Amino acid sequence: MYVEKIYRAGTVPYLIDENGNVEYLFQIVSDKRWAGPDPQISKGRMDDGETPATTALREAEEELGLVAYNIKFETFAELGVRLGRTHFFYLEVYKDR
């Protein structure tokens, strides 16, 4: 049986508050059939022609409302690949934007 390998990418966005505490930004999926009740990392399927980084940024915008104005791009770095098909990136966001 042939099983297509699905490639996804997502971000692990975080912010650092004025006291140096790190806060991670997760999403709560509205349809629990897809992810259950727990907070989730925003991620999604790579579209044709996209790189993992492009997909990760698109998903952060679609699912978390993050746009270029919110993102500290100097912190954007690949965290790793899970199960050989899902790419994750760290992404620091501005707290006051």
Side-chain angles (χ1 to χ4, degrees), residues 79-97:
L79 172 61
V81 179
R82 186 172 190 279
L83 301 176
R85 61 184 186 195
T86 304
H87 299 259
F88 288 104
F89 295 83
Y90 280 126
L91 179 65
E92 186 176 355
V93 298
Y94 292 101
K95 184 176 175 76
D96 56 353
R97 295 186 181 182

Side-chain angles (χ1 to χ4, degrees), residues 9 44-59 62:
R45 186 181 297 230
M46 290 174 58
D47 291 341
D48 290 339
E50 280 188 325
T51 65
T54 303
T55 301
L57 291 171
R58 178 177 52 76
E59 290 296 329
E62 290 176 1

Side-chain angles (χ1 to χ4, degrees), residues 16-93:
I16 301 173
D17 70 16
E18 58 278 352
N19 296 318
N21 298 312
V22 176
E23 298 176 28
Y24 291 95
L25 306 174
F26 296 100
Q27 67 175 358
I28 302 294
V29 179
S30 58
D31 188 338
K32 304 304 183 209
R33 294 175 296 171
W34 295 106
D38 298 324
Q40 303 291 317
I41 294 173
S42 67
K43 64 185 177 305
R45 186 181 297 230
M46 290 174 58
D47 291 341
D48 290 339
E50 280 188 325
T51 65
T54 303
T55 301
L57 291 171
R58 178 177 52 76
E59 290 296 329
E61 180 178 1
E62 290 176 1
E63 297 181 355
L64 298 173
L66 298 178
V67 293
Y69 182 73
N70 304 103
I71 298 168
K72 294 183 179 182
F73 280 98
E74 63 272 15
T75 66
F76 187 69
E78 187 162 10
L79 172 61
V81 179
R82 186 172 190 279
L83 301 176
R85 61 184 186 195
T86 304
H87 299 259
F88 288 104
F89 295 83
Y90 280 126
L91 179 65
E92 186 176 355
V93 298

